[in-house]
Structures are given as C-alpha cells and as structure tokens.
Amino acid sequence: MSAEHTDPTRAEVCAVAVADAFAEDGETLASPIGLIPMLGARLARRTVNPDLVLSDGVSLFVADDPPLGESGQEVEGWFPHPRVFDMLTFGRRHVMMGAPQLDRHGNQNLSAIGDFDRPDRQLLGTRAAPANTVNHRTSYWIPRHSPRALVERVDVVCGVGAAAARAAGSGATRFHDLHRVVTDLAVLDFTGPDGTLRVRSVHPGVEAEELRAATGFALELPDPLPRTRLPRPEELRLIREVLDPRGLREREVPTR
C-alpha cells in the first residue's frame, strides 16, 4: 500500500489513536505491548512526542524507530532490568497492555476466565499488571471490542481499577493513572463517574448501536458521537512507508 492511497484503514486510525495516547507524556519511558501499540508509540515519537523514550524490551534505550519486526540500530543508553524496576516505581513510565477482560471500573484480567478454582481458560497470569497500574500511567489496547472483552465484571483482578486502588490506600493511588483504552471500534478514557470508562470517540464507520452491542455493560454515549480523528498525510506516509511497510497492521485489524 502506498502513501498515495489516501483512504486510511481502520488499523491506521487505531495506530494514530495510540500515538495520541502517548502525546502528552513528554520524556517518559513508553512500553507498548503488541503490534498496534508498538506502531503507535513509534509514530508518536516521530510526530506528536519526540521526547518519548523507547527501549528494545531487553536492556537498551533505542534512538531510532525501525519498521515493525526489525530491531533498532541506534543505541542511546544501557537499561538493564534492575534499572527498569527502579524506574517503574516513580511514575515515569507509560505502558499499553492488552486486556482479555476489562470492566467499566478499569479492572483488567490477564489471568484466567471463569471460576478461579476451575477456570475455563488459563491465560498469562497476572504478569506485571498489578505493579504497572499502581506505579505509573497505564493504557490498554483491545483489538477485538466485544462483550467478552469489555465485561461487567472481570473474573480475576490483575490490573487495578480506580475504586480498587482507592480501597488499597495511598500506596496504590500515588501514581495510579489509567489513561486510555483504544479498541478496533473506539477510544475510551476513565473520566466517567467515579473513574469509570467513558467513550471519547468512535472510529469512522462505527455507529452507536454497534458499539453498544459490542460492549458487555451499559455505555452512555454522547450525542452526537465524536469521531476518532483520521491520520494526517505525513502520519500515513510514516506508517505505510517507514514504520510498517509490510502492512502487518492489517493482520491485527483487518479492513472492513
């Protein structure tokens, strides 16, 4: 796909929405987990936030933004795991994780589906979700917005929502900062009543009833519905020619 093709795809709209989620972070370590989050974070550093810090996920800060599937070649710092854990506790990181289940309060489940003693499906486990959500800014990427992903109540709390953090006390709220949820249908944040999910915008072509039907709890939608912004020409060029020339993004979010 060339940059001359001017109609943005749903995947490209999602990538730009992810980039916008990192726009206000300044000099912060971004930890995008997954293909669209990685694409969006690299796009953010090329456009809306040049101070964003990215690592290779192992031990190095990298200065360049290679195409998806390739490693950075310009090293700008050593970042071994002990320093990672030191940094995590001071709020200077923004992680974008996946969420097999996410409820309206921002509780996330990465661990198991069903009753915890006899789960229907075993997932990754809690991983770093509890520490992430109480120590620094956290966003979520959900590639399939559905009632199975956006649920009334998660089966296991891994990532901590606003009410759960408040109940845990000041140690859990000092850096607690749930920021955005980007899905293949919409962008949401946590500025609803009592820190609950609120729709910021729906992607082009998505209507209110489709979004309601794809969500496992009642959504209050603004009228008229704000639309997620389209990629600018330079953003499309970067996505198509520089950051994802093989079009891997379309496998994650197929064109409808």
Side-chain angles (χ1 to χ4, degrees):
M1 185 181 294
S2 70
E4 286 74 23
H5 181 79
T6 56
D7 293 334
T9 66
R10 182 70 59 83
E12 291 161 348
V13 170
C14 291
V16 169
V18 170
D20 285 347
F22 289 104
E24 300 172 356
D25 290 342
E27 191 174 299
T28 295
L29 173 64
S31 296
I33 300 172
L35 191 145
I36 293 291
M38 282 193 288
L39 177 58
R42 292 174 190 182
L43 180 65
R45 187 156 73 168
R46 292 277 189 137
T47 56
V48 294
N49 186 1
D51 294 328
L52 201 63
V53 179
L54 293 171
S55 79
D56 66 352
V58 181
S59 61
L60 301 172
F61 288 126
V62 291
D64 56 343
D65 302 305
L68 293 177
E70 298 183 18
S71 300
Q73 300 299 314
E74 297 181 30
V75 176
E76 62 179 2
W78 185 47
F79 192 51
H81 267 84
R83 291 185 61 190
V84 175
F85 291 113
D86 286 343
M87 172 180 279
L88 297 192
T89 58
F90 293 101
R92 297 299 302 277
R93 182 183 188 228
H94 183 175
V95 64
M96 180 169 279
M97 295 188 287
Q101 285 186 332
L102 187 73
D103 68 25
R104 70 169 75 226
H105 298 283
N107 297 303
Q108 170 235 34
N109 176 19
L110 279 173
S111 180
I113 303 296
D115 183 84
F116 192 72
D117 292 329
R118 296 178 62 85
D120 298 324
R121 183 169 298 179
Q122 180 67 53
L123 305 177
L124 292 172
T126 59
R127 308 292 283 185
N132 285 341
T133 46
V134 301
N135 283 317
H136 50 71
R137 176 166 280 185
T138 300
S139 294
Y140 294 106
W141 161 243
I142 298 176
R144 301 287 180 271
H145 190 134
S146 75
R148 298 176 65 181
L150 279 296
V151 297
E152 181 67 38
R153 182 176 180 177
V154 298
D155 294 329
V156 182
V157 175
C158 300
V160 179
R166 287 196 300 272
S170 59
T173 56
R174 183 181 180 190
F175 295 119
H176 185 263
D177 180 12
L178 299 185
H179 187 52
R180 296 279 172 83
V181 179
V182 180
T183 79
D184 62 331
L185 300 183
V187 180
L188 306 97
D189 63 21
F190 295 91
T191 60
D194 201 29
T196 53
L197 276 170
R198 180 185 71 99
V199 175
R200 289 177 62 90
S201 64
V202 295
H203 302 336
V206 178
E207 300 303 331
E209 287 311 308
E210 179 183 2
L211 190 64
R212 285 196 178 98
T215 305
F217 50 84
L219 270 179
E220 291 188 14
L221 302 180
D223 184 18
L225 272 175
R227 294 288 172 182
T228 308
R229 77 171 178 89
L230 298 177
R232 302 181 181 97
E234 175 61 7
E235 290 171 324
L236 279 181
R237 186 192 71 78
L238 288 169
I239 291 172
R240 295 172 180 178
E241 297 182 3
V242 179
L243 300 176
D244 186 23
R246 290 191 290 163
L248 299 179
R249 61 194 179 279
E250 304 298 333
R251 300 181 190 175
E252 177 112 321
V253 183
T255 298
R256 301 186 178 197

